[in-house]
Amino acid sequence: MPRAGQNVRVMARQRRTKAVLGFAIAGLWILLPWVLPWFLPTMVLSLSGWVYLGCLVPASFSYFQAQQLWSKANRADQGAAGEEAIAAVLTPLQNEGWQIEYGVRDRSVGDVDVFLLSPQGRAYTIDVKSHRGEVRSNGKQLYRQYGRSQYPFEKDFLNQAKRQAVAMKKLKRLTFVTPVVAFSQARVEVEQNPIAGVYVVGKQDLVRCLRSLG
């Protein structure tokens, strides 16, 4: 059974490996115009401008792709850290008889960060988010609040959480699964719960929420 954040850590390492390879390829393209004169001096001298340009384009492309992969690896590590932080606060529930699984794979939704089954037999999925700042809701969607400005999230977290709950309901052959979105770092300030059928909480309120529901 995977540990909390394990699948995401593996993905981050894979992305970093590909990024390092991309940086190396970019470096080789940059070095190529300096190496070619040793082997093809006449041809390189006559086409020197085109050679440099021809090497610069693929070098830039490789470097850009590698940089993108490195950024994605950083985000994956941040997500894994969030999952590990949530797992730490869930530890007391295991001592109370809750069954907890991390990184449950499903074809329809990918990884489900956390699946829980309470001693009373009630099931929950937790979609962990590692975003920072302050999270609020208009009763239908979530958004980030910075001062007086509001910014929507890049994805519909509520719909995503509901899809995960439905997937686990089918996978585990359960009657109902309650979806939860838990923010590991952000401060959650919502006026109602659930929101569109999804409970939205910060790390510090997660266990209390689950105990009250379970």
Side-chain angles (χ1 to χ4, degrees):
M1 184 181 299
R3 300 185 306 275
Q6 179 179 336
N7 294 341
V8 186
R9 292 286 185 193
V10 170
M11 182 172 62
R13 287 196 296 270
Q14 291 173 341
R15 287 174 175 175
R16 289 197 194 282
T17 300
K18 291 180 180 178
V20 170
L21 180 60
F23 286 130
I25 291 173
L28 289 175
W29 277 112
I30 292 295
L31 290 174
L32 189 60
W34 303 93
V35 175
L36 279 179
W38 293 91
F39 301 97
L40 302 169
T42 305
M43 182 180 296
V44 171
L45 285 174
S46 61
L47 300 174
S48 58
W50 291 104
V51 170
Y52 285 112
L53 181 60
C55 292
L56 183 60
V57 171
S60 300
F61 181 74
S62 296
Y63 181 84
F64 176 77
Q65 282 193 318
Q67 199 171 40
Q68 293 291 101
L69 283 169
W70 194 267
S71 296
K72 288 181 179 180
N74 287 340
R75 290 195 293 271
D77 276 331
Q78 180 180 327
E83 292 182 28
E84 291 160 359
I86 292 297
V89 303
L90 292 176
T91 300
L93 293 182
Q94 287 183 306
N95 300 330
E96 297 170 13
W98 288 63
Q99 299 176 37
I100 305 177
E101 296 179 46
Y102 297 99
V104 183
R105 292 189 179 277
D106 181 86
R107 289 183 180 180
S108 61
V109 294
D111 279 2
V112 176
D113 296 333
V114 191
F115 171 76
L116 305 95
L117 192 65
S118 76
Q120 292 77 24
R122 295 177 179 173
Y124 306 87
T125 55
I126 301 177
D127 191 11
V128 179
K129 301 301 177 186
S130 59
H131 300 71
R132 297 179 175 87
E134 183 175 310
V135 177
R136 292 183 176 270
S137 170
N138 58 11
K140 296 180 180 180
Q141 293 295 333
L142 302 178
Y143 60 86
R144 278 178 283 193
Q145 183 84 28
Y146 291 103
R148 295 184 179 180
S149 300
Q150 300 174 358
Y151 300 92
F153 286 100
E154 62 275 11
K155 295 180 180 179
D156 185 344
F157 294 156
L158 300 180
N159 184 60
Q160 183 175 307
K162 285 189 282 190
R163 288 180 62 243
Q164 291 182 0
V166 170
M168 293 306 296
K169 174 186 172 183
K170 293 179 181 178
L171 182 66
K172 300 290 185 177
R173 298 181 180 178
L174 297 166
T175 303
F176 186 77
V177 177
T178 300
V180 178
V181 174
F183 287 86
S184 62
Q185 299 187 63
R187 185 171 70 257
V188 178
E189 299 287 346
V190 296
E191 296 181 359
Q192 67 180 55
N193 250 325
I195 304 167
V198 181
Y199 288 86
V200 181
V201 295
K203 180 180 67 175
Q204 68 278 6
D205 297 319
L206 178 58
V207 170
R208 182 168 66 248
C209 175
L210 290 170
R211 281 173 175 156
S212 68
L213 295 171

